[in-house]
Amino acid sequence: MIKVSVMYPNTPGAKFNHDYYRDQHMPMVKAKLGAALKSYTVDKGMAGGAPGAPATYVAMCHLFCDSVETFQAGFGPHAKDIMADVPNYTDIAPVMQISEVVVG
């Protein structure tokens, strides 16, 4: 199992519409990836590790797929459409990481 994490750094003055992301963008991603996407989560940053510190990321999503190849096969044909929707909820450039789920 792999996890694709898409993280949006918390930068001063940046915009992020959490409602749109949760209710429109992520369901669209799920629909486009279909069976390649086993499940996903959406996180809304609240705070950093130190008292009073801001969250490192304003939002994150985690996509769970069987393998990198499965993710790429599901995402690839729809990448242009998915990325075209990003300006509808944010002006932040996302940071992406693919991880192997070791325990979960």
Side-chain angles (χ1 to χ4, degrees), residues 40-64:
Y40 70 89
T41 63
V42 174
D43 301 351
K44 182 177 182 179
M46 293 176 57
T56 304
Y57 299 101
V58 68
M60 294 185 271
C61 78
H62 306 284
L63 311 172
F64 296 89

Side-chain angles (χ1 to χ4, degrees), residues 5 10 14 22 25-27 29 36 46 57-58 66 72 78 81 87 89 91 95-96 99 101:
S5 298
N10 190 3
R22 180 192 63 230
H25 183 76
M26 290 309 300
V29 170
M46 293 176 57
Y57 299 101
V58 68
D66 286 330
Q72 290 172 337
H78 307 289
D81 290 339
Y89 63 87
D91 56 2
V95 175
M96 198 170 172
S99 305
V101 177

Side-chain angles (χ1 to χ4, degrees), residues 59-96:
M60 294 185 271
C61 78
H62 306 284
L63 311 172
F64 296 89
C65 302
D66 286 330
S67 67
V68 173
E69 295 78 18
T70 302
F71 167 72
Q72 290 172 337
F75 183 80
H78 307 289
K80 190 173 184 179
D81 290 339
I82 292 169
M83 297 310 293
D85 191 49
V86 172
N88 289 324
Y89 63 87
T90 192
D91 56 2
I92 301 169
V95 175
M96 198 170 172

Side-chain angles (χ1 to χ4, degrees), residues 17-29:
N17 184 328
H18 290 278
D19 292 337
Y20 185 93
Y21 189 63
R22 180 192 63 230
D23 299 336
Q24 303 295 320
H25 183 76
M26 290 309 300
M28 181 262 297
V29 170

